[in-house]
Amino acid sequence: MDDDPDQLYLLSTHLQGADCDVVAVSSGELAVASLQDHVFDLAVIDLRLPGIGGNDVAVEVRSSHPLCRVVFTSVLDADTYPPAHGGLPKPFTRQQVLNLLTHLKPGGQA
């Protein structure tokens, strides 16, 4: 999820290119609402969102989907991200998204 349409499109495109099914949302409120309608394996959450922030969305994801892996993305320094299964600092490349997915696969390090 990302409130920037270009970043949301880019991330969705990279994930779809890696054969992931994607539910792309542009706000924390839409993300929380989507938790009732879908089962997720991975949530990529922008930390800096208007309204319900990324950290609060992660709490909701972890509560309703305990097996879902949480990855934060942000323009903030990755060293300041809250604990998660991974981080994807902006701007990110296709290769960084693919590396993240490889890292999160069963048998990976996360």
Side-chain angles (χ1 to χ4, degrees), residues 28-107:
E29 290 81 3
L30 290 172
V32 170
S34 73
L35 294 173
Q36 298 171 3
D37 301 326
H38 303 280
V39 175
F40 295 102
D41 298 316
L42 173 66
V44 181
I45 304 169
D46 185 5
L47 278 172
R48 300 190 48 134
L49 295 170
I52 299 175
N55 215 4
D56 292 331
V57 171
V59 169
E60 293 292 328
V61 168
R62 290 176 176 132
S63 174
S64 63
H65 293 76
L67 298 179
C68 181
R69 295 183 181 232
V70 172
V71 171
F72 288 113
T73 186
S74 180
V75 296
L76 300 173
D77 186 353
D79 292 338
T80 65
Y81 291 8
H85 294 98
L88 193 59
K90 293 179 186 178
F92 50 81
T93 64
R94 177 182 174 277
Q95 190 59 52
Q96 287 172 303
V97 172
L98 295 177
N99 290 347
L100 176 73
L101 293 174
T102 299
H103 175 75
L104 294 175
K105 280 185 182 177

Side-chain angles (χ1 to χ4, degrees), residues 20-35:
C20 297
D21 293 326
V22 176
V23 176
V25 295
S26 59
S27 73
E29 290 81 3
L30 290 172
V32 170
S34 73
L35 294 173

Side-chain angles (χ1 to χ4, degrees), residues 3-20:
D3 60 320
D4 179 300
D6 292 334
Q7 292 293 318
L8 185 61
Y9 174 78
L10 183 64
L11 181 59
S12 297
T13 299
H14 292 328
L15 290 170
Q16 289 168 341
D19 293 325
C20 297

